[in-house]
Amino acid sequence: MRSSGLATGLLLLLGGWAHAADTAQLGPRPFYLVDRLAPGPLKDKLSACGIDRPYTPRSFSISHRGAPLMFPEHTREGIMAADRMGAGIIECDVAFTKDRQLVCRHSQCDLHTTTDILTRPDLAAKCTKGFEPADPATGRKASAKCCTSDLTLAEFKSLNGKMDAANPDATSLTAYLDATPRWRTDLYATTGTLMSHKEYIALVKSLGRKFTPELKAPQVPMPFDGTYTQDSYAQQLIDEYKQAGIPAADVYPQSFQLRDILYWLEKEPAFGKQAVFLDDRDERDKAFDSEKPETWKPGMAELAAKGVKILAPPLWMLVRPGPDGEIEPSAYAREAKAAGLGLIAWSLERSGTLADGGGYYYKSIKPLVKGDGDILRLLDALHGKVGVMGVFSDWPATATFYANCVGAP
C-alpha cells in the first residue's frame, strides 16, 4: 500500500472513535458503481480517482433522512453514518408532538412504519388508529396510523427507530412490521435513536455540517390544539436555529408548501433567501408535464418573482433522453435556470437495483437505464449539464465520491 493509502487506512480505522471533519469514509459502494459503468470517458474519469486518495465532505452531497439505504431514517445512527460518508448538508424532516415540540420524522403520521410503537401496548393505545390486520376475504388491507402528535416528546423519544416499511397484506402484527425491502437491511435497525429537532441541531453543529430542515405538511387540522397555527409551526422551526446560535447561511429550510417559503421570505428573510421549495406538483396535478411549461403552475418566472431562490424537484424532472442516447437537461431544468433558480435534486440511491429501469426516480430516462452504474451517469448529467447545487441521497458516499472526483463544492 502506498503511503497515501496507509494514511487513509489509518483515518478509516480511527473514524469509528473520532470525527475527522476534513475526511470522508466512502466504503466499497461508489467503486462498485464505477465498475458497472459502461466503458467510456465517464468511467475513465471516475476510475482515475482511485480508492486510496483522501476524500473530503462536500455540500453537493446532501444527506436524505440520514443514510436510510441501510440505517433507520432520522436516527442519530443514520446522521452519524451520513456525516462519516461526507455529506456536507444533513436533513431533518420536522414534525411536531402532542406537546408541540419539534422532532425529526419524515411524516407526522409514520410512526407505525418507522418505529416500534405497535409493539409497545401503552403507546400503541395512543395511536390515531391502531393496527388492523388484512382480511383476504373482503380485500381489506392491513393498516395503522400513529402520529407524532399522538405522543409527548418524552414518549416519542422512548421509541426505537426501524427501517421504514409495512406489509399491507399482513394478517398479523409481526408480518406487518417484517417488511424491509430485500435491497435494504435490518442489520443496523436493532437500535435507532430518535431525535428532537433541537438534538439534531446540536449534533450536526458538533459535526461541522450544514442543516436542511423540512417543515412537514401537518396531517391534523390546524390550528392544532386550538392555538398552534401553520405560521407558529414555521416560525418555531427557525427560532430553534436562532436560539442555538446557528448562522442563517448554514440553514436551508425546505417545504413542499409554497406558503411556508413565502412566510420565511417575509418574516425571516435571512433564512428565507436560502429556503428550498420542494416540487411534487407531478403528484398533485395530473396535467403536469416536465416538458410542457404551460402545465407548471406557478411557472418558473412567477416563482422567481415571488422571491423563491431554490427549487428542488425529483431527479426525473430535470432530465430527458437526448438524440444521441445521452442524458440531457429537461425543459423544466432549462426554464428554471433561465429564471435564475438554483436547483437541488432528490433522491439518489432510493431505488434499489436499477435492473428494472429505476422506477419513479428515473422514469423520464428509463430507456437509457440499464444497471446500477447508470446512477453515476445521471449524477454526471445533473452536475455537468443541468448544473444542480446538490443532490439528496439515501447513501451520501456516492455523491461525495462523485463530487470529489469532478471538483464539485
Side-chain angles (χ1 to χ4, degrees):
M1 180 183 289
R2 295 194 295 273
S3 59
S4 62
L6 177 60
T8 301
L10 289 171
L11 286 171
L12 291 175
L13 178 63
L14 294 171
W17 291 272
H19 171 68
D22 59 347
T23 61
Q25 305 169 22
L26 300 184
R29 181 164 175 78
F31 307 98
Y32 165 87
L33 297 177
V34 173
D35 289 344
R36 273 145 187 80
L37 269 171
L42 180 60
K43 183 167 187 172
D44 293 342
K45 176 171 64 175
L46 298 183
S47 296
C49 285
I51 196 169
D52 61 352
R53 57 162 278 182
Y55 288 87
T56 59
R58 300 297 170 110
S59 61
F60 181 84
S61 176
I62 306 173
S63 158
H64 182 241
R65 312 187 201 176
L69 181 64
M70 296 183 72
F71 290 83
E73 63 185 45
H74 291 310
T75 59
R76 188 181 192 281
E77 293 78 8
I79 287 177
M80 293 303 299
D83 167 66
R84 289 167 176 149
M85 286 188 277
I89 304 173
I90 297 177
E91 182 184 45
C92 166
D93 293 328
V94 178
F96 57 84
T97 61
K98 185 176 183 179
D99 48 353
R100 299 191 298 192
Q101 298 299 303
L102 302 184
V103 295
C104 295
R105 197 86 331 238
H106 176 248
S107 168
Q108 184 177 1
C109 296
D110 71 3
L111 298 183
H112 51 289
T113 65
T114 64
T115 76
D116 63 351
I117 189 170
L118 292 178
T119 69
R120 305 272 298 277
D122 56 331
L123 297 180
K126 299 186 178 187
C127 289
T128 298
K129 178 181 180 296
F131 173 67
E132 186 173 57
D135 184 347
T138 64
R140 184 186 69 204
K141 296 296 186 180
S143 63
K145 186 177 183 180
C146 302
C147 307
T148 59
S149 51
D150 292 332
L151 306 179
T152 65
L153 175 61
E155 290 167 338
F156 171 85
K157 288 291 304 299
S158 73
L159 297 172
N160 186 67
K162 76 173 191 68
M163 298 301 281
D164 183 15
N167 178 4
D169 297 318
T171 56
S172 70
L173 178 58
T174 299
Y176 182 72
L177 297 175
D178 185 19
T180 301
R182 293 179 64 185
W183 46 271
R184 288 186 173 144
T185 180
D186 286 318
L187 184 62
Y188 304 109
T190 54
T191 56
T193 307
L194 272 56
M195 303 187 72
S196 71
H197 182 232
K198 289 180 179 178
E199 289 171 328
Y200 151 83
I201 291 174
L203 177 58
V204 174
K205 180 180 180 180
S206 74
L207 298 172
R209 303 294 184 244
K210 295 186 178 182
F211 311 80
T212 185
E214 180 191 333
L215 194 75
K216 300 306 297 188
Q219 294 187 33
V220 294
M222 300 292 275
F224 178 71
D225 201 24
T227 59
Y228 191 58
T229 67
Q230 183 69 24
D231 288 349
S232 303
Y233 178 32
Q235 186 62 52
Q236 184 181 359
L237 181 144
I238 299 300
D239 286 346
E240 294 195 350
Y241 289 92
K242 295 164 72 174
Q243 292 160 6
I246 305 298
D250 288 349
V251 184
Y252 296 83
Q254 316 166 62
S255 180
F256 280 103
Q257 299 180 94
L258 182 57
R259 71 168 316 280
D260 296 332
I261 307 298
L262 300 180
Y263 174 86
W264 290 324
L265 283 166
E266 178 185 358
K267 302 296 185 181
E268 296 287 351
F271 290 87
K273 68 181 182 181
Q274 291 199 151
V276 180
F277 178 39
L278 300 164
D279 194 351
D280 65 347
R281 287 177 286 178
D282 61 310
E283 297 184 2
R284 295 183 282 106
D285 185 352
K286 292 182 179 180
F288 180 92
D289 188 322
S290 60
E291 293 299 325
K292 296 179 178 178
E294 65 273 16
T295 68
W296 313 337
K297 299 175 183 178
M300 302 302 181
E302 186 178 353
L303 286 173
K306 290 179 181 291
V308 175
K309 303 295 184 185
I310 305 173
L311 186 62
L315 300 169
W316 71 266
M317 279 192 199
L318 294 171
V319 291
R320 69 183 186 189
D324 56 357
E326 294 298 308
I327 301 171
E328 69 176 24
S330 65
Y332 179 104
R334 295 194 305 273
E335 291 288 333
K337 297 296 282 187
L341 297 171
L343 290 170
I344 294 174
W346 48 270
S347 296
L348 204 70
E349 300 280 31
R350 193 155 183 81
S351 302
T353 176
L354 301 193
D356 62 353
Y360 172 78
Y361 291 98
Y362 293 79
K363 68 179 186 178
S364 63
I365 56 169
K366 188 171 183 177
L368 305 181
V369 177
K370 307 300 181 184
D372 290 351
D374 290 320
I375 291 173
L376 295 172
R377 285 186 66 206
L378 173 59
L379 201 52
D380 192 55
L382 290 170
H383 171 256
K385 296 180 181 180
V386 175
V388 300
M389 300 166 58
V391 177
F392 281 97
S393 178
D394 281 22
W395 199 244
T398 300
T400 301
F401 164 78
Y402 175 84
N404 274 265
C405 288
V406 303

PDB file of all heavy atoms in Angstrom, residues 370-400:
ATOM      1  N   LYS A 370     -29.790   0.935 -17.718  1.00  0.00           N
ATOM      2  CA  LYS A 370     -29.532  -0.494 -17.916  1.00  0.00           C
ATOM      3  C   LYS A 370     -29.038  -1.208 -16.664  1.00  0.00           C
ATOM      4  O   LYS A 370     -29.104  -2.424 -16.571  1.00  0.00           O
ATOM      5  CB  LYS A 370     -28.488  -0.679 -19.026  1.00  0.00           C
ATOM      6  CG  LYS A 370     -28.818   0.027 -20.325  1.00  0.00           C
ATOM      7  CD  LYS A 370     -30.129  -0.444 -20.928  1.00  0.00           C
ATOM      8  CE  LYS A 370     -30.417   0.264 -22.258  1.00  0.00           C
ATOM      9  NZ  LYS A 370     -31.740  -0.120 -22.817  1.00  0.00           N
ATOM     10  N   GLY A 371     -28.520  -0.447 -15.692  1.00  0.00           N
ATOM     11  CA  GLY A 371     -27.995  -1.076 -14.493  1.00  0.00           C
ATOM     12  C   GLY A 371     -27.499  -0.051 -13.509  1.00  0.00           C
ATOM     13  O   GLY A 371     -27.603   1.158 -13.716  1.00  0.00           O
ATOM     14  N   ASP A 372     -26.916  -0.546 -12.401  1.00  0.00           N
ATOM     15  CA  ASP A 372     -26.570   0.329 -11.288  1.00  0.00           C
ATOM     16  C   ASP A 372     -25.535   1.398 -11.637  1.00  0.00           C
ATOM     17  O   ASP A 372     -25.521   2.472 -11.040  1.00  0.00           O
ATOM     18  CB  ASP A 372     -26.055  -0.511 -10.117  1.00  0.00           C
ATOM     19  CG  ASP A 372     -27.159  -1.331  -9.459  1.00  0.00           C
ATOM     20  OD1 ASP A 372     -28.341  -1.114  -9.794  1.00  0.00           O
ATOM     21  OD2 ASP A 372     -26.837  -2.188  -8.617  1.00  0.00           O
ATOM     22  N   GLY A 373     -24.670   1.138 -12.594  1.00  0.00           N
ATOM     23  CA  GLY A 373     -23.692   2.141 -12.983  1.00  0.00           C
ATOM     24  C   GLY A 373     -24.331   3.413 -13.505  1.00  0.00           C
ATOM     25  O   GLY A 373     -23.718   4.495 -13.468  1.00  0.00           O
ATOM     26  N   ASP A 374     -25.575   3.319 -13.961  1.00  0.00           N
ATOM     27  CA  ASP A 374     -26.254   4.499 -14.507  1.00  0.00           C
ATOM     28  C   ASP A 374     -26.616   5.519 -13.428  1.00  0.00           C
ATOM     29  O   ASP A 374     -26.996   6.651 -13.752  1.00  0.00           O
ATOM     30  CB  ASP A 374     -27.495   4.071 -15.287  1.00  0.00           C
ATOM     31  CG  ASP A 374     -27.137   3.348 -16.572  1.00  0.00           C
ATOM     32  OD1 ASP A 374     -26.177   3.780 -17.228  1.00  0.00           O
ATOM     33  OD2 ASP A 374     -27.798   2.352 -16.911  1.00  0.00           O
ATOM     34  N   ILE A 375     -26.498   5.137 -12.154  1.00  0.00           N
ATOM     35  CA  ILE A 375     -26.607   6.133 -11.076  1.00  0.00           C
ATOM     36  C   ILE A 375     -25.575   7.233 -11.302  1.00  0.00           C
ATOM     37  O   ILE A 375     -25.864   8.425 -11.173  1.00  0.00           O
ATOM     38  CB  ILE A 375     -26.396   5.464  -9.701  1.00  0.00           C
ATOM     39  CG1 ILE A 375     -27.567   4.547  -9.357  1.00  0.00           C
ATOM     40  CG2 ILE A 375     -26.188   6.507  -8.602  1.00  0.00           C
ATOM     41  CD1 ILE A 375     -27.357   3.716  -8.095  1.00  0.00           C
ATOM     42  N   LEU A 376     -24.365   6.831 -11.677  1.00  0.00           N
ATOM     43  CA  LEU A 376     -23.293   7.799 -11.897  1.00  0.00           C
ATOM     44  C   LEU A 376     -23.490   8.566 -13.197  1.00  0.00           C
ATOM     45  O   LEU A 376     -23.120   9.743 -13.291  1.00  0.00           O
ATOM     46  CB  LEU A 376     -21.941   7.088 -11.874  1.00  0.00           C
ATOM     47  CG  LEU A 376     -21.558   6.476 -10.521  1.00  0.00           C
ATOM     48  CD1 LEU A 376     -20.300   5.639 -10.639  1.00  0.00           C
ATOM     49  CD2 LEU A 376     -21.375   7.556  -9.469  1.00  0.00           C
ATOM     50  N   ARG A 377     -24.078   7.953 -14.192  1.00  0.00           N
ATOM     51  CA  ARG A 377     -24.384   8.681 -15.432  1.00  0.00           C
ATOM     52  C   ARG A 377     -25.386   9.799 -15.159  1.00  0.00           C
ATOM     53  O   ARG A 377     -25.230  10.919 -15.645  1.00  0.00           O
ATOM     54  CB  ARG A 377     -24.980   7.738 -16.482  1.00  0.00           C
ATOM     55  CG  ARG A 377     -24.003   6.810 -17.161  1.00  0.00           C
ATOM     56  CD  ARG A 377     -24.697   6.043 -18.274  1.00  0.00           C
ATOM     57  NE  ARG A 377     -25.122   6.916 -19.358  1.00  0.00           N
ATOM     58  CZ  ARG A 377     -26.132   6.660 -20.187  1.00  0.00           C
ATOM     59  NH1 ARG A 377     -26.865   5.563 -20.021  1.00  0.00           N
ATOM     60  NH2 ARG A 377     -26.420   7.485 -21.160  1.00  0.00           N
ATOM     61  N   LEU A 378     -26.418   9.491 -14.364  1.00  0.00           N
ATOM     62  CA  LEU A 378     -27.402  10.513 -14.024  1.00  0.00           C
ATOM     63  C   LEU A 378     -26.758  11.617 -13.194  1.00  0.00           C
ATOM     64  O   LEU A 378     -26.974  12.810 -13.446  1.00  0.00           O
ATOM     65  CB  LEU A 378     -28.560   9.888 -13.244  1.00  0.00           C
ATOM     66  CG  LEU A 378     -29.592  10.869 -12.682  1.00  0.00           C
ATOM     67  CD1 LEU A 378     -30.230  11.695 -13.789  1.00  0.00           C
ATOM     68  CD2 LEU A 378     -30.670  10.124 -11.901  1.00  0.00           C
ATOM     69  N   LEU A 379     -25.947  11.232 -12.219  1.00  0.00           N
ATOM     70  CA  LEU A 379     -25.285  12.214 -11.370  1.00  0.00           C
ATOM     71  C   LEU A 379     -24.400  13.138 -12.211  1.00  0.00           C
ATOM     72  O   LEU A 379     -24.369  14.362 -11.994  1.00  0.00           O
ATOM     73  CB  LEU A 379     -24.456  11.485 -10.314  1.00  0.00           C
ATOM     74  CG  LEU A 379     -24.063  12.218  -9.045  1.00  0.00           C
ATOM     75  CD1 LEU A 379     -25.269  12.856  -8.371  1.00  0.00           C
ATOM     76  CD2 LEU A 379     -23.358  11.266  -8.095  1.00  0.00           C
ATOM     77  N   ASP A 380     -23.710  12.578 -13.181  1.00  0.00           N
ATOM     78  CA  ASP A 380     -22.841  13.375 -14.039  1.00  0.00           C
ATOM     79  C   ASP A 380     -23.643  14.360 -14.887  1.00  0.00           C
ATOM     80  O   ASP A 380     -23.229  15.513 -15.071  1.00  0.00           O
ATOM     81  CB  ASP A 380     -22.030  12.443 -14.945  1.00  0.00           C
ATOM     82  CG  ASP A 380     -20.895  13.164 -15.658  1.00  0.00           C
ATOM     83  OD1 ASP A 380     -20.070  13.803 -14.967  1.00  0.00           O
ATOM     84  OD2 ASP A 380     -20.845  13.099 -16.894  1.00  0.00           O
ATOM     85  N   ALA A 381     -24.808  13.937 -15.364  1.00  0.00           N
ATOM     86  CA  ALA A 381     -25.654  14.840 -16.151  1.00  0.00           C
ATOM     87  C   ALA A 381     -26.236  15.945 -15.270  1.00  0.00           C
ATOM     88  O   ALA A 381     -26.302  17.110 -15.682  1.00  0.00           O
ATOM     89  CB  ALA A 381     -26.779  14.051 -16.818  1.00  0.00           C
ATOM     90  N   LEU A 382     -26.633  15.601 -14.058  1.00  0.00           N
ATOM     91  CA  LEU A 382     -27.184  16.606 -13.156  1.00  0.00           C
ATOM     92  C   LEU A 382     -26.151  17.667 -12.822  1.00  0.00           C
ATOM     93  O   LEU A 382     -26.460  18.859 -12.734  1.00  0.00           O
ATOM     94  CB  LEU A 382     -27.694  15.941 -11.877  1.00  0.00           C
ATOM     95  CG  LEU A 382     -28.942  15.078 -12.020  1.00  0.00           C
ATOM     96  CD1 LEU A 382     -29.186  14.283 -10.744  1.00  0.00           C
ATOM     97  CD2 LEU A 382     -30.168  15.933 -12.347  1.00  0.00           C
ATOM     98  N   HIS A 383     -24.921  17.245 -12.629  1.00  0.00           N
ATOM     99  CA  HIS A 383     -23.866  18.203 -12.299  1.00  0.00           C
ATOM    100  C   HIS A 383     -23.372  18.962 -13.529  1.00  0.00           C
ATOM    101  O   HIS A 383     -23.366  20.192 -13.546  1.00  0.00           O
ATOM    102  CB  HIS A 383     -22.682  17.483 -11.640  1.00  0.00           C
ATOM    103  CG  HIS A 383     -21.480  18.359 -11.464  1.00  0.00           C
ATOM    104  ND1 HIS A 383     -20.376  18.263 -12.284  1.00  0.00           N
ATOM    105  CD2 HIS A 383     -21.207  19.353 -10.583  1.00  0.00           C
ATOM    106  CE1 HIS A 383     -19.484  19.164 -11.910  1.00  0.00           C
ATOM    107  NE2 HIS A 383     -19.956  19.829 -10.887  1.00  0.00           N
ATOM    108  N   GLY A 384     -22.980  18.217 -14.556  1.00  0.00           N
ATOM    109  CA  GLY A 384     -22.311  18.833 -15.695  1.00  0.00           C
ATOM    110  C   GLY A 384     -23.220  19.530 -16.681  1.00  0.00           C
ATOM    111  O   GLY A 384     -22.818  20.521 -17.310  1.00  0.00           O
ATOM    112  N   LYS A 385     -24.446  19.034 -16.836  1.00  0.00           N
ATOM    113  CA  LYS A 385     -25.344  19.594 -17.854  1.00  0.00           C
ATOM    114  C   LYS A 385     -26.480  20.421 -17.256  1.00  0.00           C
ATOM    115  O   LYS A 385     -26.818  21.472 -17.787  1.00  0.00           O
ATOM    116  CB  LYS A 385     -25.918  18.462 -18.711  1.00  0.00           C
ATOM    117  CG  LYS A 385     -24.867  17.709 -19.506  1.00  0.00           C
ATOM    118  CD  LYS A 385     -25.488  16.590 -20.330  1.00  0.00           C
ATOM    119  CE  LYS A 385     -24.442  15.825 -21.115  1.00  0.00           C
ATOM    120  NZ  LYS A 385     -25.052  14.719 -21.915  1.00  0.00           N
ATOM    121  N   VAL A 386     -27.068  19.932 -16.175  1.00  0.00           N
ATOM    122  CA  VAL A 386     -28.163  20.665 -15.528  1.00  0.00           C
ATOM    123  C   VAL A 386     -27.611  21.762 -14.622  1.00  0.00           C
ATOM    124  O   VAL A 386     -28.163  22.855 -14.549  1.00  0.00           O
ATOM    125  CB  VAL A 386     -29.067  19.711 -14.732  1.00  0.00           C
ATOM    126  CG1 VAL A 386     -30.137  20.488 -13.973  1.00  0.00           C
ATOM    127  CG2 VAL A 386     -29.720  18.685 -15.664  1.00  0.00           C
ATOM    128  N   GLY A 387     -26.500  21.469 -13.930  1.00  0.00           N
ATOM    129  CA  GLY A 387     -25.902  22.448 -13.045  1.00  0.00           C
ATOM    130  C   GLY A 387     -26.560  22.545 -11.687  1.00  0.00           C
ATOM    131  O   GLY A 387     -26.737  23.640 -11.147  1.00  0.00           O
ATOM    132  N   VAL A 388     -26.933  21.388 -11.103  1.00  0.00           N
ATOM    133  CA  VAL A 388     -27.578  21.417  -9.792  1.00  0.00           C
ATOM    134  C   VAL A 388     -26.585  21.835  -8.718  1.00  0.00           C
ATOM    135  O   VAL A 388     -25.371  21.628  -8.834  1.00  0.00           O
ATOM    136  CB  VAL A 388     -28.196  20.043  -9.426  1.00  0.00           C
ATOM    137  CG1 VAL A 388     -29.249  19.638 -10.440  1.00  0.00           C
ATOM    138  CG2 VAL A 388     -27.123  18.966  -9.302  1.00  0.00           C
ATOM    139  N   MET A 389     -27.117  22.435  -7.650  1.00  0.00           N
ATOM    140  CA  MET A 389     -26.311  22.825  -6.497  1.00  0.00           C
ATOM    141  C   MET A 389     -25.903  21.621  -5.661  1.00  0.00           C
ATOM    142  O   MET A 389     -24.852  21.614  -5.025  1.00  0.00           O
ATOM    143  CB  MET A 389     -27.108  23.784  -5.610  1.00  0.00           C
ATOM    144  CG  MET A 389     -27.548  25.055  -6.270  1.00  0.00           C
ATOM    145  SD  MET A 389     -28.802  25.926  -5.274  1.00  0.00           S
ATOM    146  CE  MET A 389     -27.923  26.162  -3.714  1.00  0.00           C
ATOM    147  N   GLY A 390     -26.775  20.624  -5.625  1.00  0.00           N
ATOM    148  CA  GLY A 390     -26.524  19.447  -4.811  1.00  0.00           C
ATOM    149  C   GLY A 390     -27.575  18.394  -5.068  1.00  0.00           C
ATOM    150  O   GLY A 390     -28.568  18.637  -5.769  1.00  0.00           O
ATOM    151  N   VAL A 391     -27.343  17.215  -4.497  1.00  0.00           N
ATOM    152  CA  VAL A 391     -28.235  16.075  -4.694  1.00  0.00           C
ATOM    153  C   VAL A 391     -28.478  15.392  -3.355  1.00  0.00           C
ATOM    154  O   VAL A 391     -27.524  15.030  -2.644  1.00  0.00           O
ATOM    155  CB  VAL A 391     -27.635  15.066  -5.695  1.00  0.00           C
ATOM    156  CG1 VAL A 391     -28.542  13.848  -5.843  1.00  0.00           C
ATOM    157  CG2 VAL A 391     -27.406  15.719  -7.056  1.00  0.00           C
ATOM    158  N   PHE A 392     -29.753  15.223  -2.993  1.00  0.00           N
ATOM    159  CA  PHE A 392     -30.105  14.418  -1.830  1.00  0.00           C
ATOM    160  C   PHE A 392     -29.833  12.951  -2.145  1.00  0.00           C
ATOM    161  O   PHE A 392     -30.119  12.479  -3.251  1.00  0.00           O
ATOM    162  CB  PHE A 392     -31.591  14.566  -1.504  1.00  0.00           C
ATOM    163  CG  PHE A 392     -31.955  15.823  -0.771  1.00  0.00           C
ATOM    164  CD1 PHE A 392     -32.433  16.926  -1.453  1.00  0.00           C
ATOM    165  CD2 PHE A 392     -31.838  15.893   0.609  1.00  0.00           C
ATOM    166  CE1 PHE A 392     -32.792  18.088  -0.781  1.00  0.00           C
ATOM    167  CE2 PHE A 392     -32.183  17.038   1.297  1.00  0.00           C
ATOM    168  CZ  PHE A 392     -32.666  18.144   0.600  1.00  0.00           C
ATOM    169  N   SER A 393     -29.302  12.232  -1.167  1.00  0.00           N
ATOM    170  CA  SER A 393     -29.019  10.817  -1.386  1.00  0.00           C
ATOM    171  C   SER A 393     -29.292  10.010  -0.130  1.00  0.00           C
ATOM    172  O   SER A 393     -29.036  10.460   0.987  1.00  0.00           O
ATOM    173  CB  SER A 393     -27.561  10.622  -1.805  1.00  0.00           C
ATOM    174  OG  SER A 393     -27.272   9.239  -1.971  1.00  0.00           O
ATOM    175  N   ASP A 394     -29.806   8.793  -0.328  1.00  0.00           N
ATOM    176  CA  ASP A 394     -30.006   7.851   0.771  1.00  0.00           C
ATOM    177  C   ASP A 394     -28.698   7.177   1.182  1.00  0.00           C
ATOM    178  O   ASP A 394     -28.663   6.480   2.196  1.00  0.00           O
ATOM    179  CB  ASP A 394     -31.024   6.776   0.374  1.00  0.00           C
ATOM    180  CG  ASP A 394     -32.461   7.249   0.473  1.00  0.00           C
ATOM    181  OD1 ASP A 394     -32.690   8.475   0.444  1.00  0.00           O
ATOM    182  OD2 ASP A 394     -33.366   6.394   0.568  1.00  0.00           O
ATOM    183  N   TRP A 395     -27.652   7.346   0.398  1.00  0.00           N
ATOM    184  CA  TRP A 395     -26.323   6.805   0.711  1.00  0.00           C
ATOM    185  C   TRP A 395     -25.300   7.836   0.249  1.00  0.00           C
ATOM    186  O   TRP A 395     -24.777   7.761  -0.850  1.00  0.00           O
ATOM    187  CB  TRP A 395     -26.107   5.452   0.032  1.00  0.00           C
ATOM    188  CG  TRP A 395     -24.998   4.641   0.629  1.00  0.00           C
ATOM    189  CD1 TRP A 395     -23.831   4.258   0.043  1.00  0.00           C
ATOM    190  CD2 TRP A 395     -24.949   4.109   1.967  1.00  0.00           C
ATOM    191  NE1 TRP A 395     -23.067   3.527   0.905  1.00  0.00           N
ATOM    192  CE2 TRP A 395     -23.727   3.416   2.102  1.00  0.00           C
ATOM    193  CE3 TRP A 395     -25.820   4.157   3.054  1.00  0.00           C
ATOM    194  CZ2 TRP A 395     -23.363   2.766   3.280  1.00  0.00           C
ATOM    195  CZ3 TRP A 395     -25.451   3.516   4.234  1.00  0.00           C
ATOM    196  CH2 TRP A 395     -24.240   2.828   4.331  1.00  0.00           C
ATOM    197  N   PRO A 396     -25.010   8.848   1.089  1.00  0.00           N
ATOM    198  CA  PRO A 396     -24.252  10.018   0.646  1.00  0.00           C
ATOM    199  C   PRO A 396     -22.862   9.726   0.099  1.00  0.00           C
ATOM    200  O   PRO A 396     -22.296  10.567  -0.622  1.00  0.00           O
ATOM    201  CB  PRO A 396     -24.171  10.869   1.916  1.00  0.00           C
ATOM    202  CG  PRO A 396     -25.377  10.485   2.707  1.00  0.00           C
ATOM    203  CD  PRO A 396     -25.542   9.018   2.462  1.00  0.00           C
ATOM    204  N   ALA A 397     -22.287   8.577   0.407  1.00  0.00           N
ATOM    205  CA  ALA A 397     -20.942   8.280  -0.093  1.00  0.00           C
ATOM    206  C   ALA A 397     -20.862   8.377  -1.604  1.00  0.00           C
ATOM    207  O   ALA A 397     -19.835   8.797  -2.155  1.00  0.00           O
ATOM    208  CB  ALA A 397     -20.510   6.891   0.374  1.00  0.00           C
ATOM    209  N   THR A 398     -21.930   8.006  -2.298  1.00  0.00           N
ATOM    210  CA  THR A 398     -21.905   8.033  -3.763  1.00  0.00           C
ATOM    211  C   THR A 398     -21.745   9.457  -4.283  1.00  0.00           C
ATOM    212  O   THR A 398     -20.904   9.733  -5.144  1.00  0.00           O
ATOM    213  CB  THR A 398     -23.183   7.393  -4.324  1.00  0.00           C
ATOM    214  OG1 THR A 398     -23.268   6.037  -3.882  1.00  0.00           O
ATOM    215  CG2 THR A 398     -23.182   7.424  -5.845  1.00  0.00           C
ATOM    216  N   ALA A 399     -22.561  10.383  -3.742  1.00  0.00           N
ATOM    217  CA  ALA A 399     -22.470  11.773  -4.178  1.00  0.00           C
ATOM    218  C   ALA A 399     -21.158  12.407  -3.714  1.00  0.00           C
ATOM    219  O   ALA A 399     -20.572  13.240  -4.425  1.00  0.00           O
ATOM    220  CB  ALA A 399     -23.662  12.565  -3.657  1.00  0.00           C
ATOM    221  N   THR A 400     -20.675  12.046  -2.527  1.00  0.00           N
ATOM    222  CA  THR A 400     -19.400  12.568  -2.029  1.00  0.00           C
ATOM    223  C   THR A 400     -18.260  12.142  -2.948  1.00  0.00           C
ATOM    224  O   THR A 400     -17.392  12.948  -3.304  1.00  0.00           O
ATOM    225  CB  THR A 400     -19.130  12.067  -0.606  1.00  0.00           C
ATOM    226  OG1 THR A 400     -20.196  12.482   0.264  1.00  0.00           O
ATOM    227  CG2 THR A 400     -17.819  12.601  -0.072  1.00  0.00           C
TER     228      THR A 400
END
